[in-house]
Amino acid sequence: LDYGPYSVQILGPLLVRTRGAPSFETGIVYTREIEMAESGSRVSIDQTMTNITDHEVEWSVWDVTQLQRPDWIVFPLNPKSIFPDGVNHHNDKSKESTGWHVVDDWMYINYLGDGGKLGADSHAGWIAYVKDNQIYLKTFPIYADEKYPHKGDTVEVYTAEAYIEVEVLSPLVTLGPGKSYTFTE
């Protein structure tokens, strides 16, 4: 779903729509409407996935923002987490890394090593990227009673040598043919 050309349509002075290439492997096509606030730095992104098959598909909106290595990624852990210590380690690199710390139920990550990845079932509805005294804050809805991908992750962080990914996941959704689901950040 990350590959291929996107079309761009300007809908207004502060609003654009992008449409990705259809993924015949997943049966999904993504459309995103990105709107900047008239003042300030707020941006709203409506991410819509549509089933392009003739059968039901189950999928999640999985938003990935690639950024320079941060000073920190920060998010609150779920005090009633289903994961040991509130953390879902996707690989050994994240388990062995010294680049993450939990302090008073808050996760702080600066680097997990090339290919390191971890997630959490945070129910706060936000994750922050902090660099040079600036904050990029992603906010999103949480659906506590819904099933999430990767054993329950609502947020994930992946680190590569040159960048970091701040990831937000929607609940898993079953879509009938031609049906859509929108998740807003």
Side-chain angles (χ1 to χ4, degrees):
L1 291 172
D2 290 336
Y3 303 102
Y6 274 73
S7 65
V8 177
Q9 181 183 7
I10 298 172
L11 302 177
L14 302 173
L15 179 63
V16 298
R17 178 183 299 139
T18 65
R19 182 175 172 90
S23 169
F24 298 106
E25 182 179 332
T26 62
I28 296 290
V29 65
Y30 272 102
T31 304
R32 291 179 173 89
E33 289 194 2
I34 305 163
E35 185 170 23
M36 295 174 55
E38 290 187 26
S39 63
S41 59
R42 190 173 185 94
V43 175
S44 176
I45 304 174
D46 290 335
Q47 303 170 95
T48 302
M49 59 181 180
T50 301
N51 178 351
I52 56 173
T53 72
D54 61 359
H55 58 276
E56 285 188 343
V57 296
E58 183 181 60
W59 205 252
S60 166
V61 174
W62 183 2
D63 180 66
V64 175
T65 304
Q66 292 181 341
L67 301 156
Q68 295 176 351
R69 283 183 58 182
D71 296 333
W72 295 102
I73 301 293
V74 181
F75 57 88
L77 292 174
N78 182 349
K80 297 179 181 176
S81 177
I82 59 172
F83 303 117
D85 301 321
V87 181
N88 181 12
H89 292 279
H90 287 245
N91 57 34
D92 289 338
K93 286 191 180 204
S94 70
K95 285 181 189 176
E96 298 163 0
S97 173
T98 59
W100 64 275
H101 309 280
V102 175
V103 178
D104 296 328
D105 293 326
W106 288 71
M107 172 62 76
Y108 297 88
I109 302 167
N110 65 353
Y111 188 62
L112 302 171
D114 190 11
K117 183 162 184 163
L118 61 76
D121 58 346
S122 176
H123 282 193
W126 65 267
I127 184 169
Y129 165 92
V130 181
K131 186 165 181 74
D132 300 331
N133 297 321
Q134 293 189 354
I135 296 175
Y136 171 62
L137 180 69
K138 294 176 80 163
T139 62
F140 51 94
I142 294 292
Y143 302 96
D145 296 331
E146 300 293 325
K147 180 181 169 187
Y148 280 82
H150 303 152
K151 302 178 185 172
D153 287 350
T154 58
V155 294
E156 295 176 347
V157 176
Y158 170 80
T159 59
E161 186 174 329
Y163 63 92
I164 193 164
E165 293 182 350
V166 178
E167 305 172 3
V168 172
L169 294 85
S170 80
L172 287 165
V173 178
T174 301
L175 297 172
K179 299 297 181 186
S180 297
Y181 171 79
T182 300
F183 186 73
T184 301
E185 286 186 51

